[in-house]
Amino acid sequence: MKAIILIGAPGSGKGTTAEGIKAATGYIHVATGDMLREAVARGSSVGKAAESYMKQGTLVPDEVIIELVEERLDEGAPADCYMFDGFPRTQRQAELLDSSLEKRSGELANVFYLDAPRELVISRLTGRRTCRECGTIFHVVNIPPKKEGICDLCGGELYVRPDDKEDTIIRRLEVFHSQTGGLISYYEAKGVLARIDAAQPKEEIVGQAVSLMRAR
Ligand code: AP5
């Protein structure tokens, strides 16, 4: 088993970059935010436990997240390659991922930190539109759909995420800096971290990440 991680502030482009890396490499995309939104939509017990934290822009408790990720890994095969997007987000999640990989004889190959200035992530999040059906991510200016409000890929309805309101965005950014930012030095110390300038076009970012993955 092999794993890579995408770390970055809300709106730095983790989901968008993950779509491109998946298309180029076939890595399995594990996005805890998407898994939680699906759980909320289904009204499952995980969804009920997570909903209020997500609405406020704070982190869902580690126990809930770790159980979700472990279940997902248990469904896979030993040779699978995973790309974590939005996980880990705390020191505890990072340490539990280390143990989980060790237990499965897995390797953490790369961690990509998508480095983006604050003004950029705010403008990206306020313009984001996401497909309700297939989850493809657009932006009203940067990556617009061919037809307003409609997904180019599946024709689904595009919606604004409830946590993309300005006050919630500000809270999510604070939470990133206080609870997740420390993981950058954690992975730097392990020698697996690469910083990527997230202000570049999607194709550049994906190209850099994929060449670093192939170089390892
Ligand atoms: P999550 O869904 O993970 O949200 P996030 O980390 O806040 O990140 P986003 O999805 O908002 O942004 P992104 O970096 O993926 O950017 P995107 O590609 O969409 O988490 C949501 C919530 O769930 C959390 O607040 C928390 O409550 C909970 N949660 C999730 N995981 C958890 C965990 N591990 N522990 C605890 N709680 C957890 O891009 C943004 C916009 O920019 C789009 O419009 C896109 O089109 C545009 N764009 C992207 N890249 C480019 C580019 N290169 N050029 C131009 N435009 C671009």
Side-chain angles (χ1 to χ4, degrees), residues 4 15 36 38 44 55 88 90 106 131-132 164 177 215:
I4 66 162
L36 291 168
E38 279 160 25
S44 69
K55 264 196 187 141
T90 62
C131 177
R132 215 179 268 290
D164 278 349
H177 291 294

Side-chain angles (χ1 to χ4, degrees), residues 9-16 32-34 36-37 53-54 57-60 65 85-87 89 93 124-125 127-129 137-139 142-143 161 163 172 198 200-202 205:
S12 55
K14 301 181 294 297
T16 303
T32 42
D34 292 346
L36 291 168
R37 278 183 288 280
Y53 297 98
M54 296 174 78
T58 55
L59 294 186
V60 172
I65 300 296
D85 157 4
F87 171 86
R89 259 171 148 106
Q93 290 181 20
R124 282 188 178 173
L125 291 178
R128 171 165 58 190
R129 300 292 181 270
I137 306 161
F138 297 87
H139 188 280
N142 304 345
I143 308 176
R161 267 175 44 181
D163 57 350
R172 286 160 60 204
Q200 302 175 93
K202 171 185 171 178
I205 296 171

Side-chain angles (χ1 to χ4, degrees), residues 162-183:
D163 57 350
D164 278 349
K165 287 183 289 192
E166 195 145 348
D167 54 340
T168 317
I169 292 173
I170 305 292
R171 165 76 62 84
R172 286 160 60 204
L173 286 170
E174 284 165 7
V175 168
F176 174 76
H177 291 294
S178 62
Q179 300 194 52
T180 309
L183 296 184

Side-chain angles (χ1 to χ4, degrees), residues 35-52 54 64:
M35 292 160 88
L36 291 168
R37 278 183 288 280
E38 279 160 25
V40 170
R42 275 200 315 275
S44 69
S45 57
V46 166
K48 286 184 182 128
E51 193 170 13
S52 64
M54 296 174 78
V64 175

Side-chain angles (χ1 to χ4, degrees), residues 137-156:
I137 306 161
F138 297 87
H139 188 280
V140 288
V141 178
N142 304 345
I143 308 176
K146 292 192 182 91
K147 203 170 163 202
E148 196 187 325
I150 306 289
C151 176
D152 292 355
L153 270 72
C154 75

